[in-house]
Amino acid sequence: MNLEQYKKAVEQLNLYAYHYYVLDDALTTDEVYDKLYHEVLEYEEANKEHISASSPTQRVGDSVSDGFTKAAHLSRMWSLEDVFNSEDLEKWLTKTYKLDKNISFYCEPKYDGASLNLIYEDGILTHGITRGDGEIGELITQNVKTIRSIPLTIEHKEKIEIRGEVVIYKEEFEKINQERAKNKEALFANPRNAAAGSLRQLDSSITASRNLVFLPYGVGENLLEQKLLSQKMDYIYSQGFKKPPLRATCSGFEEIEAVYEEMNKNRDSYEMMLDGMVIKVDEIASQIDMGYTVKNPRFSVAYKFPAVEKITRVKEIILQVGRTGAVTPVAIVEPTNIDGVVVERATLHNFDEIDRKDIRINDKVIILRSGDVIPKIIKVLTHERDGSEVEYKRPTECPVCKSELLDEGVLLKCQNLRCEARVINSIIYFASKPCLNIDGLGVKIVEALFNSGLVKSVVDLFDLTLEKLLTLEGFKDKKAQNLLDSLESAKGSEYWRFINSLGIEHIGEVASKTLSTNFGSGFIDATKEQIVACDGVGEEMAESLLEFVRVNRDTILRLQEILQPLEPLKREEAKENPFKGKSVVLTGSMSEPRDKIKETLESLGAKIVSSVSKKTDFVIYGEDAGSKYDKAMDLGVECLNEEEMRGKIEQA
């Protein structure tokens, strides 16, 4: 191999490495890579004066440091202010818009790892420095060079600081802990700790063995001319760095929220751990004008994910039967305090999830609690199994009535219409507030009615008489009559409440209103194509509705005959007026209930939305209007008080 061939070989190896470690798209086999790598290594050993700074051989960690020296960042690495919900975000946006109204935002993941600052001079990586206190960190360049996703050389020749997070992918984290368990070493608590610990190893060969990944999130000192941060980051990625799983530029609250929801929803599917989303003003000039507080930049914020994770143990898996007959598994776990709440149950969603995650009784698991949602198992710590774990066997009979279960793969269903769990749960739901709102039909009374044989289905409720009720223990004349009066008052309810009360799987309040508006009583004859054509109704919902109607058509018609629910009035298309087709936000205290004003505006063809954005046409405000009014003023949205709104309506 001569010098020219050596340079080409180094270039080829770096191309292989870039595709493998950055793009996850291998161009060759390990055998081909290793052969070429050793040819390069052989040449370098004979020609040390020709060794290229970009050679992959310069990554190999084989030195042991006595300790790390301190090094200053060229520009400070700031920490970010945190926000935790949409209200906090709105407040931050209001403050930011007061500094500059003509801005957009760049959103990217907030990685859960260890911050690192890279300094390149004349296109060569010269320094790798930990965050430290933001001004001074530890110089760990030798370790940094072992990270395959960090280019040793880049095309950009001016001095530049590239900031990012060093992470360990979840799959790699599991392998590391399995290896540590075999060696009877202490396990890492999470990938973040593993990444930070690996990055600061005095023996760089250990760092090299951990498969760390560097993900850029910004720049420090630089002479880049791009006017937008998003453009600067595009340029950084073009230098050979790994891109994030999701990033976006947004114009305001609604778009930011949409990206946040997408990132939060998909976070478990990403290879790395995330703990939120970072939002930055995209315009560099505006960033400079906004500046910094003592602690944080004014132009950036971390929007944290609302979740807390803990490790616990699965004690038992029990079964619940819902009103539709669907049998769902629930994990009973050792009591675990998560953010002040003692958790004893975790949802398992369905039986496929048990199989997919290989969840066993007595397994150690990581559970995640998000808001008020029932916690779920997100990971089984298989490396901590000691042989006491027991595989869970898929049930074949209903836990309540013992009848054979229908196995639909993901779902198991009890088909016994007289199953106590099905009847009792369906009646309780039928009588609940979002449905027919029948007072007096609590759990104990429904159980008493069922166990006595007086009620074996929802329809039987309307065959009850005073004489029948007085046969039940605890029922006196007044209590019995009150229940009969409540059953009578359920008649003539709005039609959407009737649909909702049927307890059709996947059909809730919103879908019930949609079906009622589009079809009324004709929903039982609607085709799949007609149902799917409704706004917000998908195929799964349509199929569930069609199956329910097929099985329960006679019951639906009988209940409709008894209850006589009110068919929805067909709203005529609004005449031309200032609010027709406009997006309107209501805020503050009005002279009449806001729902009534909402109804009036909707009858005029307005669309009532909950948050203010550049797309909002009007904000109608009352007393104590608050942040929505402020944001509207900042964005230049037309604001009307109640009197001005009524004036526009009268002029129409």
Side-chain angles (χ1 to χ4, degrees), residues 467-481:
E467 292 73 25
K468 288 179 180 178
L469 288 174
L470 291 176
T471 63
L472 294 176
E473 185 179 349
F475 268 82
K476 302 295 183 185
D477 283 2
K478 185 175 182 182
K479 183 176 180 179
Q481 190 56 54

Side-chain angles (χ1 to χ4, degrees), residues 81-96 253 256-257 260 279 301-304 306 627 631:
E81 177 187 353
D82 292 332
V83 298
F84 297 93
N85 52 50
S86 55
E87 265 185 42
D88 290 348
L89 175 61
E90 280 202 278
K91 287 177 184 175
W92 180 80
L93 286 172
T94 299
K95 283 193 302 182
T96 309
F253 176 82
I256 292 172
E257 276 286 292
Y260 173 81
I279 306 162
V301 73
Y303 193 173
K304 301 298 284 289
S627 62
K631 184 173 180 180

Side-chain angles (χ1 to χ4, degrees), residues 84-85 304-311 335-344 367-373 375:
F84 297 93
N85 52 50
K304 301 298 284 289
F305 290 146
V308 181
E309 300 172 4
K310 284 287 180 74
I311 294 176
T336 307
N337 191 310
I338 302 181
D339 201 23
V341 176
V342 177
V343 171
E344 296 185 64
I367 57 173
L368 178 145
R369 179 177 178 268
S370 180
D372 294 324
V373 178

Side-chain angles (χ1 to χ4, degrees), residues 411-450:
L411 283 178
L412 296 181
K413 284 188 178 180
C414 173
Q415 297 291 86
N416 180 10
L417 293 176
R418 293 189 172 275
C419 174
E420 178 181 344
R422 289 197 66 174
V423 175
I424 289 174
N425 288 334
S426 63
I427 292 174
I428 291 169
Y429 183 77
F430 180 82
S432 64
K433 282 187 177 181
C435 298
L436 296 183
N437 195 17
I438 303 173
D439 286 336
L441 276 179
V443 176
K444 289 185 178 178
I445 290 177
V446 173
E447 287 177 347
L449 289 169
F450 181 84

Side-chain angles (χ1 to χ4, degrees), residues 255-267 277 303 305:
E255 290 183 13
I256 292 172
E257 276 286 292
V259 176
Y260 173 81
E261 289 300 327
E262 182 181 354
M263 206 176 285
N264 191 20
K265 177 184 174 184
N266 296 326
R267 60 188 292 204
M277 182 176 84
Y303 193 173
F305 290 146

Side-chain angles (χ1 to χ4, degrees), residues 317 319 329 351 354-355 359-361 390-395:
I317 294 176
L319 303 174
F351 295 95
I354 296 177
D355 296 338
I359 298 170
R360 304 179 186 182
I361 295 165
V390 180
E391 288 189 36
Y392 180 75
K393 292 185 178 178
R394 199 177 179 94

Side-chain angles (χ1 to χ4, degrees), residues 236-510:
I236 296 301
Y237 298 131
S238 76
Q239 299 298 299
F241 290 94
K242 200 169 183 68
K243 294 180 181 179
L246 176 66
R247 60 192 175 116
T249 52
C250 304
S251 62
F253 176 82
E254 289 182 354
E255 290 183 13
I256 292 172
E257 276 286 292
V259 176
Y260 173 81
E261 289 300 327
E262 182 181 354
M263 206 176 285
N264 191 20
K265 177 184 174 184
N266 296 326
R267 60 188 292 204
D268 288 343
S269 67
Y270 297 144
E271 294 175 297
M272 71 293 292
M273 295 285 288
L274 307 183
D275 63 354
M277 182 176 84
V278 176
I279 306 162
K280 300 175 184 174
V281 171
D282 200 20
E283 290 76 11
I284 302 298
S286 297
Q287 287 188 9
I288 295 168
D289 289 343
M290 291 177 184
Y292 304 83
T293 66
V294 176
K295 293 182 179 179
N296 316 112
R298 291 191 177 92
F299 53 82
S300 184
V301 73
Y303 193 173
K304 301 298 284 289
F305 290 146
V308 181
E309 300 172 4
K310 284 287 180 74
I311 294 176
T312 185
R313 191 181 296 276
V314 177
K315 294 166 59 180
E316 186 184 357
I317 294 176
I318 64 171
L319 303 174
Q320 293 182 336
V321 183
R323 63 182 182 273
T324 63
V327 178
T328 54
V330 176
I332 305 299
V333 300
E334 288 179 352
T336 307
N337 191 310
I338 302 181
D339 201 23
V341 176
V342 177
V343 171
E344 296 185 64
R345 293 184 171 215
T347 181
L348 294 172
H349 299 294
N350 55 55
F351 295 95
D352 269 12
E353 178 161 346
I354 296 177
D355 296 338
R356 181 171 56 81
K357 292 182 177 175
D358 188 21
I359 298 170
R360 304 179 186 182
I361 295 165
N362 211 35
D363 260 336
K364 270 193 175 182
V365 296
I366 297 175
I367 57 173
L368 178 145
R369 179 177 178 268
S370 180
D372 294 324
V373 178
I374 298 172
K376 63 179 180 179
I377 293 174
I378 60 169
K379 187 173 183 58
V380 178
L381 302 179
T382 54
H383 59 276
E384 293 208 23
R385 284 179 175 162
D386 58 13
S388 65
E389 297 77 20
V390 180
E391 288 189 36
Y392 180 75
K393 292 185 178 178
R394 199 177 179 94
T396 57
E397 63 178 36
C398 174
V400 178
C401 69
K402 306 304 178 186
S403 62
E404 185 178 349
L405 293 174
L406 173 67
D407 193 331
E408 296 184 336
V410 175
L411 283 178
L412 296 181
K413 284 188 178 180
C414 173
Q415 297 291 86
N416 180 10
L417 293 176
R418 293 189 172 275
C419 174
E420 178 181 344
R422 289 197 66 174
V423 175
I424 289 174
N425 288 334
S426 63
I427 292 174
I428 291 169
Y429 183 77
F430 180 82
S432 64
K433 282 187 177 181
C435 298
L436 296 183
N437 195 17
I438 303 173
D439 286 336
L441 276 179
V443 176
K444 289 185 178 178
I445 290 177
V446 173
E447 287 177 347
L449 289 169
F450 181 84
N451 293 332
S452 69
L454 290 177
V455 172
K456 290 296 181 184
S457 72
V458 170
V459 175
D460 293 341
L461 287 170
F462 299 97
D463 289 331
L464 291 172
T465 63
L466 190 62
E467 292 73 25
K468 288 179 180 178
L469 288 174
L470 291 176
T471 63
L472 294 176
E473 185 179 349
F475 268 82
K476 302 295 183 185
D477 283 2
K478 185 175 182 182
K479 183 176 180 179
Q481 190 56 54
N482 284 344
L483 178 55
L484 293 173
D485 290 344
S486 293
L487 288 166
E488 187 64 26
S489 69
K491 297 175 181 178
S493 294
E494 295 165 284
Y495 203 89
W496 72 264
R497 289 184 177 275
F498 172 69
I499 295 176
N500 198 29
S501 73
L502 297 173
I504 306 167
E505 197 164 1
H506 306 307
I507 305 295
E509 184 176 328
V510 173

